[in-house]
Amino acid sequence: MPNLNQKNMHRLLVALFLFVVGLQWSYCEPADSISMQKEILYITSYNVDHRYSTSFIEDMMEEYRNLGGKFKVSIEALNCSSYESHSQWVGTMQQIIENHPHADLVVLYGLEAWGCFFALPDPRYREIPLICVASARYAGMQTQRKREVVDFLELQKSFNVKGFYYYDYDIAKDMDFLAKFFPEVEKLAIISDNSYAGLSTRNVLTRYLEDFHPQLAVTYIDGMDLDMEEASAAVEKLDNKTAIFFCVWKFDKTGSVKTEYDHRIFHLQTDEKEIPVISLTGSGFGSWAIGGCHPSYSWDDGRVKPSEIAYRFLDQQEDVEPYFFKVPNHLRMDKNVLDRFKISRSDLPKETFIINDDSLTFVQVWDDYKWTIVVSVLAFILLVISLAVSITYAIHLKRVRASYLDAKVRAEHADRMKGTFIQNISHEIRTPLNAIQGFSQLVLDDDMDLDRKTKQAMFTEIERSVKVVTDQIDEILQLSSIEGHPTPGKPEEVSMTEVLDIAMVTARTYIPPTVKVNIKLVEDMVVHTVKSDVVTILAHLLSNAGKFTKKGEILVQVFQDLDHRRLTVSVTDDGPGIPVNESERIFDSFYKLDSFVPGTGLGLTISRMLARRLGGNLYLDIAYLRGARFVLTLPLTE
């Protein structure tokens, strides 16, 4: 019996060992495979084509990839507008998080994104690793319009924050400036708009004034209560013993964007009424405001960047300690406005940054930048010496190697292009030619008793196959023609309605009958361009959308961007979409994302070349995730 127990124990230990080894093996996947299944989720307060959001996301993605980051990147937007829609923001944030259950790191960009995430009620959201950027420390209460503030620095303690970059406005410096140069000021006017940013900056400023300057009478010119005309009238009523604190202005009480107001409100002052305007956030600086103590919105100040935190936390799997960075404030002044108030630069603090200043003396420049000048001169001398030595030894070798490498690269590129061309053409033309040959033989076979309907169907397929072959040959000829003639044809006045009609006729062959084409064109627009080139571009985009859309719709939108003097046409499909990392490669000659979809791989190449030849551009909207959206821009000329 003891021998039997020992044998059973031995078997049990062996089985347990094999189970543990097998369990470990099942979880030992390659690091790259695991990384590509995970996700970094960017959530921005505004739409993704907002210039600051776009710049930050693009820079962080590039820095993260350059560090070696391999995680998938997804981008979502709350699309926050006026404060009246704030009740929907938290729900939108929750839906975004639920749509990305595998997000291993969430990057929140902007005041609204911070406020909405910190307001999520479900405690499981508090475990999601976060990086918070581009917002002030203090904000207004999202659920009410009372003049109260919430401290995000305190709120984040309940969340899994890995990086926290925040602004903390230095109102005291602004008040010191007013007290020194405008001692006659007895009243303040606060201008803020109908947005969460307007509500927050107004509340922060109000709390400071109540705590430290309760003697000052305060007038509120608030976009939550006033429209543009009412706000203008309120500014006109201010007297010369009033100073203005300008927070932000984009939305008035109607909730609509008043773009022309940015220009009108900056010129409300007259020669008879000189009222100093202090910018709290930087809005109005350079046009209306005399200046202010603003946060530094640049990332070139030595701080640890969010991309580095993401890479260390996700790819290096480090136990990253939370990183907090208070964005420094800098006193900035506009010389044009200083001159109007007869304020000398020498009376300002030494660290003040002056814009519109073209009168700096050598002494001033030397005092401000002497070490920069010395280091720059020394670096320049060393650079010249190094270049002279390097050029002496390298110039001959460079000439020899340049000719050899150029010939080698050209030969290799020609071989690759020839191989790709022959492979694509032989495959793409053979399929429709086989169909033409096969149906032609059936139609001509006297032994085949075919009714009229069957013959008509065969003739339709023959006609479709002939068009496919013709289109492919045309694409090759178009590419050759564009490369040989970089100058576009003669421009003319082109109707977009007519252009879209012609393009639809050309592309109809490739659009399934189950797919609806929806064209949104409020009114016929006319653009001065080359008609044939625009037709070719839109025909390629519509054909491409039809090839990848099996059901749903193709949406074509046309609108004018008068601010940037351009006409924009977007073609959106309900297909499988295009990965972000393929967004540029799809424009390469003969490149096909799906080799089973018919085509030569030249349509997008030709379309982008034509768009740029016309002075515009063609690109993939990487922010659109429910299919693919291509955007064509054309210049609006007189």
Side-chain angles (χ1 to χ4, degrees):
M1 184 66 68
N3 292 337
L4 181 61
N5 288 338
Q6 289 177 1
K7 183 181 292 185
N8 289 339
M9 181 62 70
H10 176 71
R11 289 177 179 175
L12 179 61
L13 291 174
V14 171
L16 182 60
F17 173 79
L18 292 176
F19 173 78
V20 173
V21 171
L23 187 64
Q24 290 179 340
W25 179 263
S26 66
Y27 282 95
C28 290
E29 296 181 22
D32 288 351
S33 174
I34 294 175
S35 294
M36 293 309 292
Q37 295 172 7
K38 298 183 179 180
E39 180 181 40
I40 301 175
L41 175 61
Y42 292 89
I43 304 178
T44 174
S45 299
Y46 320 106
N47 51 31
V48 292
D49 61 353
H50 185 275
R51 58 174 177 162
Y52 295 120
S53 304
T54 302
S55 176
F56 169 77
I57 292 172
E58 289 177 349
D59 290 346
M60 182 172 171
M61 286 175 60
E62 181 180 1
E63 292 164 358
Y64 175 70
R65 297 301 180 204
N66 290 339
L67 289 170
K70 294 184 174 128
F71 277 61
K72 173 186 174 184
V73 175
S74 298
I75 304 168
E76 295 281 3
L78 290 175
N79 293 321
C80 297
S81 54
S82 69
Y83 181 76
E84 304 305 326
S85 63
H86 77 277
S87 59
Q88 307 169 12
W89 299 346
V90 174
T92 303
M93 173 64 76
Q94 185 169 357
Q95 186 61 52
I96 289 173
I97 299 298
E98 293 300 326
N99 289 343
H100 296 268
H102 302 297
D104 294 272
L105 178 66
V106 173
V107 181
L108 301 175
Y109 182 93
L111 184 70
E112 292 83 357
W114 288 29
C116 291
F117 195 94
F118 290 148
L120 292 175
D122 196 328
R124 60 194 173 95
Y125 297 134
R126 299 173 185 266
E127 302 302 320
I128 299 175
L130 297 176
I131 294 179
C132 304
V133 296
S135 176
R137 171 181 175 177
Y138 297 101
M141 301 291 288
Q142 273 204 12
T143 57
Q144 56 188 341
R145 288 176 55 177
K146 295 179 181 178
R147 286 169 183 163
E148 300 176 12
V149 296
V150 60
D151 187 350
F152 283 147
L153 195 58
E154 286 297 319
L155 278 183
Q156 63 82 31
K157 293 179 181 178
S158 302
F159 292 81
N160 188 11
V161 172
K162 299 299 179 184
F164 195 81
Y165 303 80
Y166 64 97
Y167 313 138
D168 197 350
Y169 302 119
D170 194 345
I171 305 172
K173 276 194 177 180
D174 292 326
M175 294 301 297
D176 289 344
F177 174 82
L178 280 177
K180 179 177 180 180
F181 294 101
F182 300 94
E184 71 279 4
V185 167
E186 299 174 353
K187 295 175 282 186
L188 292 179
I190 299 177
I191 298 180
S192 59
D193 75 341
N194 184 17
S195 69
Y196 186 35
L199 169 71
S200 299
T201 50
R202 181 200 68 187
N203 289 6
V204 169
L205 188 54
T206 298
R207 188 180 69 170
Y208 177 86
L209 294 175
E210 290 174 349
D211 290 344
F212 298 100
H213 298 278
Q215 78 284 2
L216 291 175
V218 179
T219 299
Y220 293 93
I221 302 176
D222 195 339
M224 290 188 171
D225 304 314
L226 307 174
D227 62 20
M228 181 184 70
E229 297 300 330
E230 291 169 337
S232 300
V235 172
E236 288 292 342
K237 292 179 181 178
L238 301 176
D239 59 38
N240 290 332
K241 292 187 177 182
T242 305
I244 295 175
F245 262 96
F246 187 72
C247 298
V248 62
W249 188 282
K250 186 176 182 183
F251 302 97
D252 64 7
K253 73 176 182 181
T254 65
S256 58
V257 180
K258 300 296 184 182
T259 54
E260 71 274 15
Y261 190 65
D262 288 339
H263 302 288
R264 290 187 59 186
I265 201 167
F266 295 153
H267 297 88
L268 287 175
Q269 288 182 299
T270 63
D271 294 335
E272 295 76 28
K273 184 190 293 185
E274 290 288 359
I275 298 178
V277 179
I278 303 297
S279 173
L280 182 65
T281 62
S283 297
F285 179 58
S287 52
W288 189 29
I290 190 172
C293 191
H294 313 140
S296 172
Y297 299 111
S298 169
W299 288 84
D300 300 326
D301 52 16
R303 73 185 83 172
V304 177
K305 294 187 177 181
S307 54
E308 182 179 344
I309 297 175
Y311 175 71
R312 289 169 51 200
F313 175 67
L314 297 175
D315 296 88
Q316 300 296 313
Q317 297 184 5
E318 293 185 20
D319 186 14
V320 177
E321 290 292 327
Y323 178 77
F324 294 88
F325 187 85
K326 176 183 173 181
V327 178
N329 293 301
H330 298 294
L331 190 63
R332 293 177 171 87
M333 294 291 157
D334 186 338
K335 185 175 185 299
N336 292 335
V337 187
L338 289 173
D339 290 345
R340 196 168 71 235
F341 284 100
K342 297 180 174 56
I343 298 176
S344 172
R345 183 182 188 277
S346 60
D347 294 332
L348 298 172
K350 187 175 182 181
E351 67 276 9
T352 305
F353 177 79
I354 307 293
I355 68 167
N356 296 324
D357 189 359
D358 55 0
S359 60
L360 290 176
T361 66
F362 175 78
V363 174
Q364 291 172 329
V365 173
W366 178 257
D367 287 341
D368 292 341
Y369 306 104
K370 80 179 150 186
W371 289 114
T372 303
I373 294 172
V374 170
V375 172
S376 299
V377 170
L378 291 176
F380 177 77
I381 293 172
L382 290 174
L383 179 62
V384 170
I385 294 173
S386 300
L387 284 175
V389 173
S390 300
I391 291 172
T392 301
Y393 286 98
I395 191 168
H396 177 69
L397 181 61
K398 181 178 178 181
R399 289 176 180 173
V400 174
R401 293 186 62 188
S403 59
Y404 167 77
L405 291 175
D406 184 63
K408 182 174 180 291
V409 169
R410 289 177 180 272
E412 291 175 349
H413 180 69
D415 285 342
R416 287 196 302 269
M417 292 292 288
K418 180 177 69 175
T420 304
F421 173 79
I422 293 173
Q423 182 180 4
N424 284 352
I425 289 301
S426 61
H427 172 74
E428 296 299 331
I429 293 184
R430 186 184 296 115
T431 301
L433 286 179
N434 287 340
I436 294 171
Q437 182 182 13
F439 284 119
S440 298
Q441 289 176 349
L442 289 175
V443 171
L444 297 175
D445 192 346
D446 295 332
D447 295 334
M448 294 293 294
D449 186 14
L450 303 174
D451 56 36
R452 180 180 181 82
K453 184 176 180 181
T454 302
K455 287 184 178 181
Q456 183 61 43
M458 290 181 176
F459 281 124
T460 300
E461 183 58 27
I462 291 172
E463 183 180 16
R464 190 196 69 81
S465 298
V466 169
K467 186 176 188 317
V468 170
V469 174
T470 303
D471 289 346
Q472 291 170 354
I473 294 174
D474 285 343
E475 286 181 353
I476 298 169
L477 295 177
Q478 285 174 359
L479 181 63
S480 175
S481 175
I482 296 169
E483 291 177 340
H485 301 84
T487 304
K490 184 177 180 181
E492 60 181 319
E493 298 297 322
V494 176
S495 164
M496 290 306 299
T497 301
E498 181 183 356
V499 165
L500 285 168
D501 289 341
I502 299 173
M504 276 297 303
V505 172
T506 305
R508 178 55 68 183
T509 302
Y510 301 95
I511 302 176
T514 57
V515 176
K516 179 183 177 182
V517 179
N518 186 8
I519 298 178
K520 289 190 175 181
L521 181 63
V522 178
E523 61 182 8
D524 191 15
M525 299 180 186
V526 177
V527 61
H528 191 71
T529 188
V530 180
K531 179 179 179 181
S532 59
D533 288 354
V534 180
V535 169
T536 299
I537 296 170
L538 294 177
H540 281 309
L541 294 180
L542 288 167
S543 300
N544 215 40
K547 292 176 184 178
F548 288 91
T549 305
K550 305 305 179 185
K551 62 180 180 178
E553 73 167 7
I554 297 172
L555 175 63
V556 181
Q557 294 177 292
V558 184
F559 59 91
Q560 291 181 340
D561 184 355
L562 297 179
D563 290 339
H564 297 89
R565 299 297 301 159
R566 67 187 180 190
L567 182 137
T568 301
V569 184
S570 65
V571 178
T572 307
D573 63 54
D574 288 336
I578 299 171
V580 174
N581 59 350
E582 298 283 357
S583 61
E584 283 300 315
R585 195 176 176 191
I586 56 175
F587 293 97
D588 291 345
S589 299
F590 304 112
Y591 181 73
K592 296 172 64 176
L593 197 61
D594 187 347
S595 58
F596 294 100
V597 176
T600 61
L602 291 175
L604 290 176
T605 305
I606 293 169
S607 299
R608 173 174 273 190
M609 292 173 69
L610 288 175
R612 290 180 173 177
R613 192 171 75 171
L614 294 173
N617 196 13
L618 175 66
Y619 61 93
L620 175 70
D621 182 358
I622 62 174
Y624 185 76
L625 304 176
R626 295 191 296 274
R629 173 179 291 158
F630 287 89
V631 180
L632 167 66
T633 62
L634 296 172
L636 289 174
T637 57
E638 294 298 329

